[in-house]
Amino acid sequence: MHALTIKDLQKTYPNGNRALKGIDLTVDAGEFYALLGPNGAGKTTAIGIISSLVNKSSGRVEIFGHDIDGDLEAAKSCIGLVPQEVNLNLWESVHNIVLNQAGYYGLGRRLARERSEKYLRELRLWDRRKDTARSLSGGMKRRLMIARALVHEPRLLILDEPTAGVDIEIRRSMWEFLQRINADGTTIILTTHYLEEAESLCRRVAIIDEGRIIEDARMSEVLRKLHREVFVLTVSGGAREVVALDGFETVARNDEEIEVAIGPGQDLNDMFAALSAKGVHVTSLRNKTNRLEELFLRLVENKNGDAAA
Ligand code: ADP
């Protein structure tokens, strides 16, 4: 069963912007899917069309077999959307926001109360249910939007940048929550700017660039295309002496730090083995590369290479 089928989807905005130039995408039921791409690539437009907030110019979209052209209400009832922008009525109470959404989807009063309590508890907002949305922190508002999106128990949950601006601890707990509902059967599609997020959560990834899908594959396959990463190591015993490390491209940044590039066919174990052979003690390690940007760069280079060939 496919949760989502998109065929030759195109969108041109009234000002002539061609945001989507014909995308095809199939997401299986139960999948946890990442939609990645640089700013302006077309992710929000695609999500807007799937959740019927934006009109498409042409193409087809089916959600669990329901075509958004012929069967819009059924298609919509399968979807829960957590948008990028906070779109809560800030003067309304947390509890009412979720209850009203349940009403909007036609849930009876009792079920609406049960579900609201269930999701507000799971997202750790139950104690704040009488407060207005306005009084919540940014992370809480985002969690409230997730509770609101889940109250009708959609089969497909779509999250546009769910953890943007959310602190690390809350991000982790949101990840755990999303993994749990995915394990319980909800299909999830998310967009994110954090490769770590897509890497931790998603089995598959589609990458959009300039309105086209340039990659659609298993996460592990895509990560293999990251050819080179640069790590910054703090070492004891004089960074400048370590600099010649067999088989690695290295630079001393100062007396304590060196940069080591890990290329294709090399891994961190090889690097540590080479350092150990020199008796060097590493006290800390961080990744200098913005891996997401590096990945986009590689894919766009490959795409241009293919086009030239
Ligand atoms: P992303 O979510 O990947 O950052 P968007 O879908 O927001 O990308 O935008 C894709 C392209 O469409 C961009 O060039 C953007 O400027 C344009 N765009 C988005 N919304 C509108 C709009 N309402 N009117 C005109 N152009 C738009």
Side-chain angles (χ1 to χ4, degrees):
M1 182 72 175
H2 296 151
L4 175 68
T5 313
I6 295 180
K7 294 234 168 75
D8 196 20
L9 184 63
Q10 304 200 22
K11 172 67 185 177
T12 305
Y13 283 102
N15 67 356
N17 267 353
R18 288 186 68 204
L20 298 176
K21 297 172 183 161
I23 63 170
D24 295 290
L25 187 68
T26 304
V27 175
D28 287 336
E31 199 56 84
F32 204 139
Y33 218 101
L35 204 54
L36 304 180
N39 274 334
K43 303 176 299 291
T44 302
T45 301
I47 284 178
I49 295 170
I50 298 164
S51 45
S52 65
L53 299 171
V54 174
N55 290 323
K56 60 187 165 61
S57 302
S58 63
R60 285 186 56 187
V61 178
E62 281 181 14
I63 296 135
F64 285 96
H66 303 291
D67 194 309
I68 61 166
D69 286 330
D71 209 358
L72 181 61
E73 287 312 311
K76 270 164 86 171
S77 70
C78 294
I79 292 187
L81 173 69
V82 183
Q84 203 178 115
E85 305 287 331
V86 173
N87 65 345
L88 300 162
N89 177 352
L90 296 178
W91 304 103
E92 204 172 1
S93 75
V94 167
H95 203 187
N96 276 344
I97 285 173
V98 183
L99 284 171
N100 287 344
Q101 182 83 352
Y104 175 79
Y105 280 97
L107 270 63
R109 270 181 83 83
R110 200 166 134 203
L111 189 58
R113 291 202 163 273
E114 272 172 31
R115 295 263 187 89
S116 300
E117 179 169 349
K118 175 179 170 193
Y119 289 106
L120 286 175
R121 280 193 189 281
E122 287 199 25
L123 287 148
R124 293 188 286 129
L125 288 168
W126 183 242
D127 293 344
R128 302 294 302 265
R129 66 189 175 282
K130 291 184 181 144
D131 298 337
T132 57
R134 186 169 175 272
S135 69
L136 302 181
S137 69
M140 288 176 180
K141 287 188 183 111
R142 217 154 269 282
R143 268 149 48 208
L144 175 56
M145 295 203 294
I146 299 180
R148 183 183 62 177
L150 285 172
V151 76
H152 66 293
E153 300 200 333
R155 298 164 81 185
L156 172 62
L157 179 66
I158 302 179
L159 306 111
D160 198 359
E161 296 274 349
T163 60
V166 168
D167 71 40
I168 195 90
E169 197 188 326
I170 306 268
R171 184 177 303 168
R172 297 257 165 220
S173 74
M174 275 166 68
W175 287 3
E176 281 169 26
F177 175 75
L178 294 174
Q179 278 168 324
R180 202 164 63 233
I181 60 168
N182 175 246
D184 289 344
T186 307
T187 308
I188 302 182
I189 300 176
L190 63 78
T191 75
T192 178
H193 268 96
Y194 305 108
L195 187 58
E196 298 68 34
E197 181 158 284
E199 199 176 352
S200 312
L201 295 174
C202 303
R203 281 179 293 265
R204 284 193 75 88
V205 55
I207 297 181
I208 305 195
D209 183 48
E210 294 181 2
R212 295 185 202 282
I213 292 195
I214 56 169
E215 183 74 83
D216 177 9
R218 293 179 67 81
M219 196 72 214
S220 52
E221 267 171 55
V222 172
L223 290 173
R224 248 183 266 136
K225 300 195 179 182
L226 274 171
H227 289 201
R228 186 174 176 275
E229 286 186 76
V230 177
F231 292 88
V232 179
L233 279 61
T234 309
V235 296
S236 57
R240 294 188 202 279
E241 280 101 75
V242 198
V243 132
L245 201 58
D246 278 348
F248 290 91
E249 199 188 313
T250 52
V251 185
R253 288 160 68 96
N254 50 45
D255 285 340
E256 279 139 29
E257 290 182 322
I258 53 169
E259 288 183 10
V260 183
I262 307 278
Q266 295 180 317
D267 61 31
L268 285 173
N269 276 339
D270 300 332
M271 179 186 78
F272 282 119
L275 287 164
S276 293
K278 289 198 148 206
V280 176
H281 187 62
V282 178
T283 53
S284 81
L285 165 81
R286 66 189 158 86
N287 195 332
K288 187 190 173 199
T289 318
N290 180 328
R291 297 163 71 224
L292 195 53
E293 277 173 14
E294 175 80 8
L295 183 62
F296 294 155
L297 212 64
R298 291 286 157 217
L299 292 168
V300 170
E301 271 171 14
N302 288 350
K303 185 182 71 169
N304 293 342
D306 290 349

